[in-house]
Amino acid sequence: MRRRKATFALGLATAMALTGCAAGVSDGTVTIHMVESLTNPTRTAVLKTLIAQFEKQNPKIKVDLISPPTDQADQKIQQMLQSGTGIDALEVRDITAGPWSTNGWLYDMSKELQSWSGWKNLTENAIKYSKDAKGRTDYIPYGFYGLSLFYRTDLVAKKGFKNPPASWDDLLTQATAIQDPSNHQYGYAFRGGTNANSNAVAVIEAYVADKIDLDNGFKLTDGRTIFSAPEALNALNTYFKLFKQASPPSSVAWGYPEMVEGFSNGSTAFLLQDPEVIATVGQSQVINKSQWATAPLLTGPSGKAIQPVATAGWGTAASSKHKAETAKLIEFLSQGEASTTFTKENSLVPILQGASEDTFYKTGPWASYLTMTENPSKYITVTQPRSSSWWTEWIQKSDAEVQKVLLGKMTPEELLASWDTYWTEKWKGQ
Amino acid sequence: MTRSTSERVERPSRLGSAPPANMADTRPRKPAFTTRRGLGIAAFMAPAVLFVVVFIYYPMISGSQMAFRNWNLTDLTDTSWVGFKNFQAMFADPVFYTVLGHTAVWVAGSIVPQFVIGFAIALWLRRHFRFRGLYQALIFFPWAISGFLIGILFRWMFNSEFGVINDLLSKAGLIDQPIPWLADPKTAMIAITVANVWYGVTFFTIMILAALQSIPDELYEAASLDGAGKARTLFQITVPSIRATLSLTVLLRVIWIFNFPDIIFGMTGGGPSNETHIVTTWMISITQQGDYGKASATGLIVVTMLLVFSVFYLMATREKKGAKS
């Protein structure tokens, strides 16, 4: 009898463990598993604070935040989505949204968010990115990334320039003037390593600004690729001159960390980066706040600049058993104080209308973003085909080819021909 | 209750009774195999076998079948069988052959210095001196660090503008211009190999030191009395005594270095312009594109190559052993 009881108890315990039967479930408490992707300690801390506020407002919902290391996060999320367990809310990036949605891993939140009052407070861009081409709401953006030029005010003034560079040609002139390798002073923090393609594409887009397709930043209005335009070669010639004349030779291998370090430790005078760098440069022990500022994105010969929009947001896993509760969490994070706190603390362009009226966004390094927002005909926002399923393949191909040009193994003409063929064939196959 | 055969066989030796006079072998007899004994052995082995099957063989077989399917994470709605298409795509890609060449340089460039330096340190540590334990701990320390972390550390050390390597070389008067270590394909390969040598020396030291400690001191004393010099002692006593360990260690390290993308990923990510990609980093970059079919095909090619190498290597080392005997 005792043996039978023990067996029964053991069986019950095993069953409870296997089914994840927790004490909380019996009192109606639901636990949402949330996974973030672009993890960093500061951001995770902010997110935890916001989650605590949400839990306080919703005592029957608990949120378990999972923060894998950034480098492996998307792969980890993919595995969780594929297995169909242990994930409710997740961070969806514009580059992961396409494939994850195609595989049926993301839940279309249209139904849950239909009556959400927060829609009316979102910016035009936030609403646009909340719906995909098929009208699905796979994620609500939490903020936007956008390029601006970080520059050394003291070095620019020392060389007799009254204003920071406004165009790519200005940048080449000023960076060349500042370059002094014998004193370990370089002009531009060139991106030759991981994601080298992004700045090369930015300069090409600026040079073809008058005829670019706003819905596809890699396409001209006549349907051909931007890489086929004659202006693209001029753009690349200027860009690669910037490497030869005004950048550290080792920047062939520079990715995000080296670029930011190069600017923060005073080695380089110019840096093209997202606003998240504001906080990092602000902590520099080598240059103080009076020695640097930001300027709007560089223009091409037509006086226009093209701002590629990059974003990420919060979505729901198709396998989630708590879709309504997850939608509640996403609504909370996408509105009011929670959204503003998240964008401010993470140096993101806000998703809420009027948030840019905050003095935070009007002063200091953020002022250039306001300038860009207030001049939409000069600083034109375009959508890049970042949700294409072949985007990662493109990144790897284009990065390697930019490095080939820098190492003299390929000409800019060959690079443009290669990129033109690549995208033309991809679009044909769609 | 009847006594089992094995117990009956073992009993005389346990009692210590003398073996028959015509019995030359006095070793205890192997217990006879019975069904009950077999079941016992199976029960003890089952958890380990289950673990290996579930966590090694199942994922391996499951992963291998992707090599013959259209398995792309960007679109899993069509994962149909494609035969050898993924293998054909790999063999048709010229980068694959370049990457194979890099892999050969990476393995050879790493294994030789690791072996020589590891052997030298092991010989040095075999001697008795003060704080030997501390030195041992310091030398073994790198083995405890993650390869990816080592890659990131060396990436900053080899940074042309802010790195300590150029700084030291400059202060020593050896260079007047910073060397762009990771920006030039040739120096980038040297840099990643240096990092790998630093990391891998430890393993050789650990293995060789353990083997050295099994050589009886009497052999060295006898050699000394016979007037053998240091070189002769090394090549006629030390090396032959630990030949098996050396062979096995080299084999293991070749396989591991071949399969070791961590440092390269941390330092160069396979760049500049794919010039430091080895087969395994190349395979990871394919998985990052979501093409698990092609990546799995690459994985199977790697396994086949290593299997063939291991067979030839073991045959070669066995021949030497036979010739010696």
Side-chain angles (χ1 to χ4, degrees):
Chain A
M1 187 65 188
R2 189 184 291 171
R3 199 171 171 185
R4 196 176 292 169
K5 266 186 185 172
T7 310
F8 176 74
L10 187 69
L12 187 67
T14 312
M16 283 177 75
L18 288 174
T19 54
C21 181
V25 172
S26 59
D27 67 359
T29 303
V30 166
T31 300
I32 296 172
H33 301 284
M34 179 183 191
V35 193
E36 58 172 329
S37 164
L38 299 167
T39 315
N40 73 56
T42 319
R43 199 180 95 131
T44 303
V46 174
L47 211 45
K48 280 185 175 167
T49 313
L50 298 177
I51 286 170
Q53 289 169 12
F54 172 77
E55 287 176 337
K56 207 173 169 187
Q57 286 178 21
N58 300 275
K60 294 280 182 191
I61 307 175
K62 295 277 166 232
V63 182
D64 172 27
L65 179 66
I66 302 160
S67 310
T70 314
D71 289 340
Q72 303 148 23
D74 283 336
Q75 256 178 326
K76 175 103 182 159
I77 296 173
Q78 251 170 219
Q79 285 163 1
M80 294 171 95
L81 289 169
Q82 205 171 0
S83 73
T85 52
I87 183 164
D88 298 295
L90 69 149
E91 184 169 358
V92 184
R93 298 166 66 190
D94 51 6
I95 56 172
T96 53
W100 290 357
S101 184
T102 306
N103 291 334
W105 294 338
L106 297 180
Y107 176 67
D108 177 8
M109 300 184 290
S110 303
K111 198 177 121 195
E112 278 74 11
L113 299 178
Q114 201 173 16
S115 55
W116 179 43
S117 60
W119 285 113
K120 64 178 186 297
N121 299 322
L122 294 182
T123 60
E124 205 178 304
N125 250 356
I127 294 173
K128 183 179 166 188
Y129 279 85
S130 298
K131 299 267 178 202
D132 73 358
K134 294 171 194 159
R136 289 168 54 92
T137 299
D138 288 329
Y139 69 99
I140 300 285
Y142 54 60
F144 292 94
Y145 299 88
L147 291 172
S148 69
L149 183 72
F150 290 70
Y151 70 98
R152 286 283 298 277
T153 48
D154 53 345
L155 295 178
V156 167
K158 198 176 154 189
K159 288 290 171 187
F161 298 106
K162 285 181 183 165
N163 294 306
S167 66
W168 283 97
D169 285 334
D170 289 349
L171 176 65
L172 179 60
T173 309
Q174 294 195 15
T176 307
I178 290 170
Q179 174 98 340
D180 181 9
S182 58
N183 285 317
H184 300 288
Q185 183 62 66
Y186 300 94
Y188 178 63
F190 194 91
R191 184 163 210 161
T194 310
N195 244 340
N197 75 90
S198 59
N199 288 356
V201 169
V203 65
I204 293 171
E205 286 178 330
Y207 272 64
V208 298
D210 279 335
K211 46 187 182 181
I212 201 165
D213 180 344
L214 301 183
D215 292 325
N216 185 344
F218 281 21
K219 213 179 235 183
L220 298 172
T221 44
D222 65 7
R224 291 179 302 130
T225 73
I226 56 168
F227 311 114
S228 66
E231 295 89 340
L233 185 59
N234 298 336
L236 283 190
N237 285 337
T238 303
Y239 188 59
F240 289 124
K241 261 188 206 168
L242 198 57
F243 169 71
K244 280 182 192 154
Q245 294 175 199
S247 305
S250 67
S251 56
V252 171
W254 278 21
Y256 176 89
E258 288 87 357
M259 293 167 76
V260 176
E261 174 62 23
F263 186 79
S264 301
N265 70 19
S267 300
T268 61
F270 299 103
L271 166 74
L272 200 63
Q273 263 300 344
D274 292 333
E276 63 188 20
V277 173
I278 292 172
T280 314
V281 180
Q283 289 165 2
S284 169
Q285 302 292 314
V286 182
I287 54 171
N288 60 47
K289 282 181 182 171
S290 68
Q291 287 178 287
W292 67 277
T294 66
L297 184 56
L298 301 158
T299 61
S302 64
K304 291 174 186 167
I306 298 294
Q307 181 68 270
V309 177
T311 187
W314 305 115
T316 303
S319 58
S320 170
K321 289 184 174 65
H322 309 298
K323 293 188 175 81
E325 291 83 356
T326 305
K328 229 176 183 180
L329 172 67
I330 293 170
E331 284 176 4
F332 172 82
L333 291 172
S334 310
Q335 64 191 6
E337 198 56 37
S339 172
T340 312
T341 305
F342 191 77
T343 50
K344 268 189 194 175
E345 297 289 334
N346 293 296
S347 297
L348 293 164
V349 177
I351 57 163
L352 299 183
Q353 291 174 29
S356 54
E357 296 303 310
D358 192 316
T359 48
F360 175 84
Y361 288 109
K362 283 183 173 173
T363 51
W366 276 100
S368 62
Y369 289 91
L370 194 67
T371 308
M372 289 192 276
T373 313
E374 286 173 346
N375 295 283
S377 56
K378 185 177 179 182
Y379 301 101
I380 303 161
T381 303
V382 300
T383 305
Q384 287 188 337
R386 294 165 64 86
S387 58
S388 307
S389 56
W390 56 83
W391 185 255
T392 319
E393 180 190 77
W394 154 251
I395 297 289
Q396 289 182 357
K397 171 195 165 63
S398 53
D399 281 359
E401 288 182 349
V402 168
Q403 284 190 325
K404 274 187 187 170
V405 176
L406 299 176
L407 295 171
K409 293 182 174 181
M410 196 180 204
T411 64
E413 288 86 350
E414 287 168 343
L415 177 132
L416 287 170
S418 165
W419 290 9
D420 178 40
T421 308
Y422 180 85
W423 281 97
T424 306
E425 282 178 6
K426 289 288 183 189
W427 288 333
K428 253 187 217 167
Q430 267 184 323
Chain B
M1 200 184 221
T2 54
R3 194 182 288 275
S4 74
T5 320
S6 59
E7 281 174 308
R8 280 201 298 271
V9 172
E10 276 183 288
R11 199 174 170 203
S13 61
R14 278 214 303 267
L15 289 172
S17 60
N22 62 349
M23 205 173 182
D25 191 356
T26 55
R27 286 177 298 180
R29 265 198 203 170
K30 211 173 169 184
F33 189 84
T34 62
T35 310
R36 194 175 165 191
R37 188 175 158 77
L39 284 173
I41 292 169
F44 279 110
M45 282 174 61
V49 170
L50 194 71
F51 185 87
V52 171
V53 168
V54 171
F55 292 104
I56 295 177
Y57 287 104
Y58 172 70
M60 206 165 84
I61 293 164
S62 171
S64 300
Q65 51 110 14
M66 285 183 193
F68 304 95
R69 299 177 82 155
N70 175 37
W71 201 287
N72 199 318
L73 270 192
T74 56
D75 184 2
L76 288 175
T77 52
D78 172 24
T79 55
S80 52
W81 294 93
V82 292
F84 289 93
K85 200 179 149 197
N86 288 321
F87 292 88
Q88 283 167 349
M90 283 312 300
F91 287 124
D93 190 344
V95 180
F96 178 67
Y97 299 98
T98 314
V99 162
L100 275 182
H102 297 159
T103 312
V105 174
W106 162 251
V107 174
S110 301
I111 198 94
V112 175
Q114 280 184 9
F115 179 82
V116 173
I117 300 169
F119 204 146
I121 295 175
L123 287 173
W124 177 62
L125 283 176
R126 189 173 184 265
R127 293 157 58 193
H128 294 277
F129 56 90
R130 226 175 156 196
F131 303 123
R132 190 174 76 151
L134 178 68
Y135 281 109
Q136 277 184 355
L138 287 174
I139 285 165
F140 296 163
F141 178 66
W143 199 245
I145 307 175
S146 130
F148 187 70
L149 184 63
I150 290 169
I152 291 172
L153 288 174
F154 273 87
R155 175 178 170 172
W156 286 107
M157 284 167 67
F158 275 108
N159 186 291
S160 171
E161 276 70 41
F162 345 116
V164 69
I165 308 270
N166 272 351
D167 192 44
L168 288 174
L169 292 174
S170 173
K171 280 177 179 159
L174 295 172
I175 55 168
D176 49 8
Q177 286 293 319
I179 301 170
W181 288 104
L182 303 179
D184 184 305
K186 284 175 194 148
T187 49
M189 189 48 102
I190 294 171
I192 57 169
T193 309
V194 166
N196 194 27
V197 168
W198 179 82
Y199 175 65
V201 157
T202 301
F203 181 74
F204 274 107
T205 308
I206 295 169
M207 295 296 284
I208 296 172
L209 183 62
L212 287 177
Q213 282 164 350
S214 68
I215 305 174
D217 286 339
E218 289 80 4
L219 283 178
Y220 290 107
E221 286 162 12
S224 174
L225 287 172
D226 289 346
K230 281 185 179 172
R232 203 164 171 200
T233 309
L234 176 68
F235 290 108
Q236 295 203 336
I237 294 180
T238 309
V239 173
S241 303
I242 60 169
R243 189 189 295 276
T245 306
L246 294 180
S247 304
L248 187 69
T249 312
V250 169
L251 176 65
L252 282 175
R253 280 306 289 156
V254 167
I255 294 170
W256 289 350
I257 293 171
F258 201 104
N259 280 317
F260 189 51
D262 311 32
I263 284 179
I264 299 177
F265 245 92
M267 282 182 80
T268 63
S273 178
N274 297 331
E275 293 290 344
T276 57
H277 261 310
I278 60 166
V279 183
T280 40
T281 55
W282 182 244
M283 186 173 74
I284 293 173
S285 73
I286 298 171
T287 61
Q288 286 176 335
Q289 292 171 19
D291 196 342
Y292 278 44
K294 220 172 170 190
S296 183
T298 316
L300 284 182
I301 294 169
V302 169
V303 168
T304 311
M305 286 168 71
L306 287 175
L307 207 64
V308 170
F309 168 77
S310 302
V311 168
F312 276 105
Y313 180 84
L314 288 173
M315 278 167 63
T317 49
R318 192 175 294 167
E319 270 171 23
K320 278 179 191 166
K321 199 176 166 186
K324 188 185 165 232
S325 65

